[in-house]
Each structure stands twice: as structure tokens, then as C-alpha cells.
Amino acid sequence: MAPLSIVMTSISTATAVFVTPLLSLLLIGKRLPVDVKGMVSNILQIVISPVAAGLLLNRFLPRISGAIKPFLLPLSVLVTSLCVGAPRAININSVLSPFGISVLLLVTLFHLLAFILGYAFTGVAFRNEPEVKPLQRTLSCETGMQSSLLALVLANKFFQDPLVGVPPAISVKVCFSTVNYLETI
């Protein structure tokens, strides 16, 4: 299922460059100023540049790529933890307030529904496939994960209120917890 996951992630990553700023403009552009060009530029820097660098490194400098590979997963966990922990720590009173609890419940419900529906619809659509369970897990992860970390970075970069970073920070934690659970079933 890895090739399917890679293709789906690649497509969603490529479309995020333009869809995320456009949706931001359409959904909140009337109430808040949205810097579409800045968002596109940041998404290119945050998402596309590292992917391109990784592909080029793998292709042209495989020894260096192989040498740093063991360090990349722990490094990504550390960086993600710092990115997620900062908005939650800065806004700890809001996170622990009734507002924070309601955001936590809504974000959790959103992701759980996405994971469950991705799993269920895949089971229905591909019920005659011999390897349906791995396919269900793959598509469930792809529909449930979304781009929470990208949303967190964009929220912190383009909106002044630090509370804007709380929902995506909670979202990242919910996603990682759910994916860890899905790997056990």
C-alpha cells in the first residue's frame, strides 16, 4: 500500500499549494485579510522545497541520503513536537478553558469521522479485493490526517491572534494518536 499512499500524499501536497490559499481567501477573506501570494510562497518553502530536496538528494547523492536517513524520523518527531507544543503552551489557559475543550472535541470528532468514513467507504468500494484491510488502513490514514501541521504553520504565520494556532495544534496530536492506533489493528 506504500505506493498508493505516496501517490495520494503527492497529489494532496501538490494541490495544497494553490487550494489552501484559495480556500482561505474564499472562506475567511471577507472577514480577515488573506495574503494569498504569501501563503503560496510559504507552502512552496515548507512543503515542496523539502520534498524536491529529498528527491534530488536520493537521486544524486545516495550515500549522503543513506547516512542521514536514520536521523530524519527522530528529527521530524522533535520538530513536530516543538511546533505543536508551542501554541498549546502559549495558550494553555485557553486550551484548558471551555473554549479549548470544545475545540478539542470538535477537532477530535472531525478527524475520527474522517478516519472512520475513509475506512468504511474503502471497505464498501473495494470489498471484493483480496487485500482490503491494508487498503482500508491506507485510505483511512490519508483521509483522516489532512494537513494539520501545514495549517498550524500557516495559522501562526498569517494570523496575529495566537489562538488561531490552537485548533491545528490539537489536530496534529489527534492525528498522530489515531495513526498510532490504526497501526495496531
Side-chain angles (χ1 to χ4, degrees):
M1 294 300 119
L4 175 63
S5 180
I6 291 168
V7 168
M8 291 179 71
T9 302
S10 300
I11 290 171
S12 69
T13 299
T15 58
V17 173
F18 301 104
V19 173
T20 302
L22 182 63
L23 282 176
S24 297
L25 181 65
L26 293 174
L27 295 174
I28 61 173
K30 290 188 167 113
R31 294 177 186 223
L32 295 171
V34 176
D35 180 7
V36 174
K37 287 181 187 175
M39 277 191 178
V40 169
S41 173
N42 269 335
I43 293 171
L44 286 170
Q45 292 170 23
I46 294 167
V47 178
I48 304 300
S49 296
V51 170
L55 290 171
L56 292 172
L57 192 64
N58 274 334
R59 175 75 172 110
F60 297 111
L61 300 168
R63 280 191 166 156
I64 293 173
S65 176
I68 64 172
K69 238 177 222 175
F71 303 103
L72 294 180
L73 182 60
L75 179 63
S76 69
V77 169
L78 174 66
V79 170
T80 300
S81 298
L82 293 173
C83 288
V84 170
R88 289 173 31 197
I90 290 169
N91 298 295
I92 191 67
N93 292 333
S94 296
V95 171
L96 297 175
S97 73
F99 162 78
I101 302 301
S102 63
V103 168
L104 173 67
L105 292 175
L106 288 171
V107 167
T108 302
L109 180 64
F110 168 77
H111 285 292
L112 286 177
L113 281 174
F115 280 111
I116 291 167
L117 292 175
Y119 192 87
F121 286 145
T122 304
V124 170
F126 296 97
R127 65 182 166 275
N128 296 327
E129 293 295 319
E131 299 265 338
V132 72
K133 290 294 180 194
L135 183 62
Q136 282 180 286
R137 281 194 298 272
T138 299
L139 292 178
S140 175
C141 286
E142 292 298 328
T143 57
M145 284 293 286
Q146 305 304 319
S147 294
S148 303
L149 198 53
L150 178 61
L152 174 63
V153 171
L154 293 175
N156 288 333
K157 172 84 175 170
F158 289 99
F159 300 100
Q160 298 299 317
D161 188 348
L163 284 174
V164 175
V166 172
I170 292 171
S171 179
V172 172
K173 175 60 179 149
V174 170
C175 287
F176 279 109
S177 299
T178 309
V179 168
N180 286 338
Y181 170 73
L182 282 174
E183 289 176 353
T184 65
I185 62 171

